[in-house]
């Protein structure tokens, strides 16, 4: 009790002296005295403090990876030692995650040493009068580690590495994979939140993917090899990323393939909408905002922006047609071009740098996937090997693909109707989506055999539709050829008439000359 009284008296004296000093001495002398006092205290203070801020100076828009790892470590291993906790609910209220509340302290033990962790935040003075505001964008949160001075080397060289590694391992075990989409760029000022996300829960896997087994195995091997090739990519001097081009008709499973890739590798997906990106600068910001272990997807890239025409000079014929156009029509086209440029100024060059330029090395273990229905429309520079390393054709449904769908939808591996369906699929082009729709039971009364018969009828209808289309195409072609022949014959008649008229004119001129000579 006596020691406590003496300590209280000493603190009161110190506070009185400090108040008197601040009142009678200018700020300049206060700073000098404070500097020397800190030096004296640092000599006799037996502890070392290390601070980890949530946001670092050179990356204000991205949370510090060290801070995030420490947060996971403390929440998992030391939260039960804290007196005050804060809770966050994840995954549709299925679980609660507890972490240290602000201004809370816990201790950890490592190799017989004791370490103290403090969770704090600092609110700028200008925010003091506006504490009722809900957002915390201006709050500076940080963790402070305190240890004894003689343990400094062990803590910095061994313990901190243990904490960061454990935090990363916890992230891998507990991470919720996410599906991101980019926010529309604002004119005049950038959008601080470049990406929005939801939890990614797509059920597609390579087992359920309707695809030729040989092609599927080839893609699986390629993906697994890539995921284990960190040292190889470093050895050859390339960024640890790989490009995939998925092309084929609509309904052939391109989106399902992307979901299956993400589920296989446990990657996040960033669905990039190019028309919402203002310019190349914003495109780079989006790239920086993506994480490692992710798939960056641009679906229907041939429809996203007019990236092909930027490299191709107009032909003389196109220029002549442009000059001959009606002024009103020409003005409308110019206005449309201006609207396109206003909507997005992303260029082909900017997109190429996004894929494999210097900025593309800002993350590791990343896939870049393009999808298109019309691969011939894409600029060759965009899909060359090295950018889109693997080209995967998503084709029409074959018999092997049908068997996967029959297993998925009807739980059938064989049936007497399989032979008929296989023969028809060899003759008719139909997408896996159309086959899946026919195999899907629409009511409790529909059994497997009814669904297979529905598919056979669908194939018969598709065959008849193809036949009618071929007849119609042949008719149109015949008519076009007849018109061309008629026009050509007309041109020949005109040329013949012109030649006859020219010959008559020559004969008249000759006769005139003879009559003149005779006279």
């Amino acid at each position: 009790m006596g020691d406590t009284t003496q300590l209280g008296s000493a603190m009161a004296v110190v506070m009185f002296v400090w108040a008197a000093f601040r009142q009678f001495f200018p700020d300049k002398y206060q700073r000098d005295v404070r500097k020397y006092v800190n030096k004296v205290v640092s000599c006799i203070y037996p502890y070392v403090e290390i601070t980890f801020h949530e946001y670092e100076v050179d990356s204000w828009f991205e949370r510090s990876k060290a801070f995030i790892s420490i947060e996971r470590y403390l929440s998992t291993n030391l939260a039960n030692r804290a007196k005050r906790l804060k809770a966050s609910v994840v995954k549709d209220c299925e679980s609660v995650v507890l972490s240290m509340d602000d201004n809370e302290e816990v201790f950890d033990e490592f190799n017989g040493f004791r370490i103290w962790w403090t969770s704090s935040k600092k609110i700028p003075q200008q925010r003091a009068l506006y504490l009722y505001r809900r957002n915390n964008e201006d709050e500076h949160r940080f963790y402070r580690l305190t240890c004894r001075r003689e343990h400094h080397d062990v803590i910095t060289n061994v313990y901190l590495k243990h904490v960061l590694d454990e935090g990363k391992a916890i992230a891998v075990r507990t991470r919720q994979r996410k599906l991101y989409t980019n926010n529309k760029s604002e004119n005049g000022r950038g959008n601080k939140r470049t990406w929005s996300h939801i939890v990614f829960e797509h059920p597609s896997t390579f087992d359920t993917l309707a695809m030729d087994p040989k092609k599927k195995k080839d893609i699986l091997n390629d993906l697994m090899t890539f995921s284990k090739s960190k040292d190889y990519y470093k050895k050859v001097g390339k960024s640890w990323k790989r490009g995939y081009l998925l092309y084929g008709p609509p309904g052939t499973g391109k989106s399902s393939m992307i979901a299956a890739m993400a589920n296989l590798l446990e990657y996040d997906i960033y669905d990039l909408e190019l028309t919402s990106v203002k310019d190349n600068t914003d495109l780079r910001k989006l790239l920086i905002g993506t994480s490692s272990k992710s798939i960056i997807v641009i679906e229907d890239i041939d429809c996203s922006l007019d990236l092909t025409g930027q490299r191709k000079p107009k032909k003389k014929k196109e220029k002549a047609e442009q000059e001959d156009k009606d002024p009103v029509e020409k003005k409308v086209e110019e206005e449309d071009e201006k609207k396109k440029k206003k909507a997005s100024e992303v260029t082909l060059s900017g997109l190429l740098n996004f894929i494999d330029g210097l900025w593309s090395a800002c993350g590791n273990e990343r896939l870049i996937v393009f999808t298109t229905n019309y691969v011939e429309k894409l600029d060759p520079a965009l899909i060359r090997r090295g950018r889109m390393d693997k080209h995967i054709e998503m084709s029409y449904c074959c018999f092997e693909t049908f068997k996967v769908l029959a297993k998925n939808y009807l739980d059938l591996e064989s049936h007497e109707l399989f032979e008929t369906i296989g023969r028809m699929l060899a003759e008719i082009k139909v997408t896996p989506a159309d086959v899946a729709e026919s195999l899907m039971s629409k009511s409790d009364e529909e059994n497997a055999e009814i669904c297979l018969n529905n598919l056979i009828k669908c194939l018969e209808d598709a065959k008849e539709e193809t036949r009618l289309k071929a007849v119609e195409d042949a008719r149109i072609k015949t008519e076009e050829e007849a018109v061309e022949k008629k026009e050509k014959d007309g041109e020949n008649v005109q040329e013949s008439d012109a030649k006859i008229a020219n010959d008559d004119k020559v004969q008249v001129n000759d006769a005139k000359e003879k009559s003149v000579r005779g006279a």
Side-chain angles (χ1 to χ4, degrees):
M1 185 70 180
D3 293 341
T4 305
T5 304
Q6 291 178 2
L7 179 61
S9 301
M11 290 296 295
V13 171
V14 170
M15 294 295 292
F16 174 78
V17 172
W18 177 247
F21 175 77
R22 292 186 62 183
Q23 184 175 359
F24 293 108
F25 287 87
D27 289 342
K28 178 182 177 182
Y29 295 108
Q30 290 184 31
R31 286 194 298 271
D32 292 339
V33 170
R34 191 183 296 114
K35 181 171 66 174
Y36 288 112
V37 168
N38 289 337
K39 284 186 178 180
V40 173
V41 171
S42 65
C43 292
I44 61 175
Y45 187 61
Y47 298 101
V48 173
E49 295 180 348
I50 305 174
T51 302
F52 299 87
H53 293 278
E54 183 175 16
Y55 292 95
E56 298 176 357
V57 175
D58 58 347
S59 57
W60 58 269
F61 48 83
E62 183 180 2
R63 297 180 76 204
S64 165
K65 293 179 180 178
F67 181 91
I68 295 172
S69 293
I70 292 169
E71 185 175 49
R72 293 194 189 103
Y73 176 84
L74 296 178
S75 298
T76 304
N77 299 326
L78 305 180
N80 59 342
R81 297 179 181 176
K83 296 179 182 178
R84 292 181 299 113
L85 300 169
K86 57 183 178 182
S88 58
V89 181
V90 297
K91 203 170 183 179
D92 298 331
C93 300
E94 291 181 8
S95 60
V96 176
V97 176
L98 300 176
S99 59
M100 292 169 54
D101 200 359
D102 296 326
N103 302 313
E104 181 66 6
E105 183 179 86
V106 295
F107 70 89
D108 192 14
E109 293 184 352
F110 181 77
N111 291 348
F113 305 146
R114 176 163 286 198
I115 304 100
W116 291 267
W117 285 99
T118 307
S119 172
S120 302
K121 67 179 178 180
K122 182 179 180 181
I123 302 175
Q125 293 182 357
Q126 61 267 29
R127 280 281 312 279
L129 299 177
Y130 303 98
L131 293 179
Y132 63 87
R133 289 175 56 182
R134 293 184 179 182
N135 67 70
N136 59 354
E137 292 180 357
D138 296 331
E139 296 176 354
H140 303 297
R141 298 178 59 219
F142 59 89
Y143 286 113
R144 178 170 287 131
L145 178 155
T146 305
C147 65
R148 295 193 65 85
R149 185 181 296 276
E150 58 266 28
H151 302 153
H152 176 272
D153 291 340
V154 175
I155 296 302
T156 55
N157 297 329
V158 183
Y159 175 71
L160 282 179
K161 185 178 185 306
H162 162 73
V163 170
L164 297 178
D165 290 344
E166 182 66 17
K168 291 177 183 177
I170 293 169
V172 172
R173 294 196 302 267
T174 61
R175 71 191 286 257
Q176 278 187 304
R177 289 185 298 112
K178 297 171 183 177
L179 172 61
Y180 292 84
T181 184
N182 53 303
N183 296 315
K184 190 172 180 63
S185 300
E186 299 291 340
N187 292 328
R189 60 178 182 176
N191 200 346
K192 188 173 182 180
R193 290 186 63 213
T194 53
W195 296 98
S196 299
H197 70 266
I198 60 173
V199 176
F200 178 72
E201 295 178 321
H202 199 289
S204 178
T205 65
F206 273 87
D207 290 333
T208 63
L209 197 63
M211 193 176 194
D212 183 280
K214 291 182 180 179
K215 186 180 288 188
K216 187 190 298 187
K217 185 177 180 181
D218 176 59
I219 297 169
L220 270 169
N221 290 338
D222 190 81
L223 289 168
M224 296 309 298
T225 301
F226 167 78
S227 66
K228 300 172 184 176
S229 300
K230 179 180 181 180
D231 294 336
Y232 175 77
Y233 276 82
K234 185 176 181 180
K235 175 186 173 184
V236 299
K238 289 184 66 176
S239 300
W240 191 14
K241 62 181 180 60
R242 189 159 176 80
Y244 286 81
L245 174 68
L246 308 182
Y247 66 95
T252 51
K254 294 185 283 293
S255 296
S256 297
M257 168 65 79
I258 295 169
M261 288 178 169
N263 285 327
L264 174 72
L265 300 174
E266 297 186 344
Y267 285 2
D268 294 327
I269 294 180
Y270 290 84
D271 184 14
L272 178 59
E273 177 56 58
L274 281 179
T275 56
S276 297
V277 183
K278 183 174 178 290
D279 52 30
N280 293 338
T281 301
D282 282 338
L283 189 62
R284 283 195 294 270
K285 288 180 181 177
L286 287 168
L287 178 63
I288 295 170
T290 61
S291 63
S292 299
K293 288 184 175 291
S294 63
I295 303 177
I296 301 174
V297 180
I298 304 179
E299 293 199 88
D300 297 320
I301 190 169
D302 54 297
C303 303
S304 297
L305 288 175
D306 183 17
L307 297 170
T308 305
Q310 295 173 7
R311 288 169 63 97
K312 293 183 179 179
K314 289 185 177 179
K315 297 178 182 179
K316 292 181 179 179
K317 186 178 178 182
E318 292 178 356
K319 289 181 178 179
E321 290 176 355
Q322 192 74 15
E323 292 173 358
D324 293 339
K325 278 184 180 177
D326 182 72
V328 176
E329 185 181 351
K330 193 174 179 181
K331 189 173 181 180
V332 170
E333 288 186 359
E334 289 176 355
E335 291 295 327
D336 290 340
E337 287 296 324
K338 286 180 181 179
K339 286 180 181 179
K340 284 182 182 178
K341 289 181 179 178
K342 189 176 180 180
S344 178
E345 296 177 5
V346 174
T347 64
L348 178 60
S349 173
L351 186 58
L352 296 181
N353 287 325
F354 175 87
I355 299 169
D356 65 352
L358 292 174
W359 289 94
S360 67
C362 65
N364 285 321
E365 200 172 352
R366 178 184 287 146
L367 300 179
I368 299 175
V369 180
F370 291 167
T371 72
T372 179
N373 297 335
Y374 307 100
V375 67
E376 65 277 1
K377 290 185 178 181
L378 299 180
D379 192 298
L382 191 63
I383 59 175
R384 69 163 175 79
R385 306 292 178 173
R387 289 193 174 112
M388 293 294 104
D389 304 285
K390 193 167 184 64
H391 294 192
I392 303 172
E393 182 180 7
M394 308 297 290
S395 56
Y396 291 102
C397 188
C398 63
F399 183 59
E400 295 297 330
T401 303
F402 158 74
K403 288 197 292 186
V404 175
L405 292 170
K407 176 67 175 174
N408 292 344
Y409 287 88
L410 304 176
D411 201 20
L412 284 179
E413 293 186 358
S414 64
H415 193 276
E416 59 184 9
L417 294 176
F418 275 24
E419 185 178 351
T420 303
I421 293 171
R423 187 172 61 253
M424 297 181 74
L425 286 173
E427 302 172 357
I428 304 164
K429 289 184 177 180
V430 61
T431 66
D434 292 330
V435 173
E437 179 61 25
S438 297
L439 294 179
M440 184 179 292
S441 178
K442 309 300 188 301
S443 66
D444 294 336
E445 288 76 21
E446 290 189 356
N447 56 25
E449 187 164 352
I450 292 175
C451 292
L452 291 175
N453 281 309
N454 289 340
L455 175 58
I456 291 174
K457 186 177 185 309
C458 175
L459 293 173
E460 289 173 347
D461 292 343
K463 185 176 182 179
E464 179 63 15
E465 184 179 343
T466 302
R467 187 188 69 80
L468 293 175
K469 187 176 184 301
V471 171
E472 180 66 15
D473 290 343
R475 184 187 65 79
I476 293 173
K477 185 178 180 181
T478 302
E479 290 180 355
E480 289 177 349
E481 288 176 351
V483 171
E484 288 179 4
K485 186 175 183 303
K486 188 176 179 180
E487 290 176 351
K488 189 174 181 181
D489 290 343
E491 290 176 359
N492 291 337
V493 169
Q494 289 178 359
E495 289 177 1
S496 179
D497 292 342
K499 186 178 180 182
I500 292 171
N502 187 52
D503 291 342
D504 291 342
K505 187 176 181 181
V506 171
Q507 290 176 3
V508 170
N509 290 336
D510 290 343
K512 285 182 179 179
E513 287 180 5
K514 286 180 181 180
S515 62
V516 170
R517 288 175 185 171

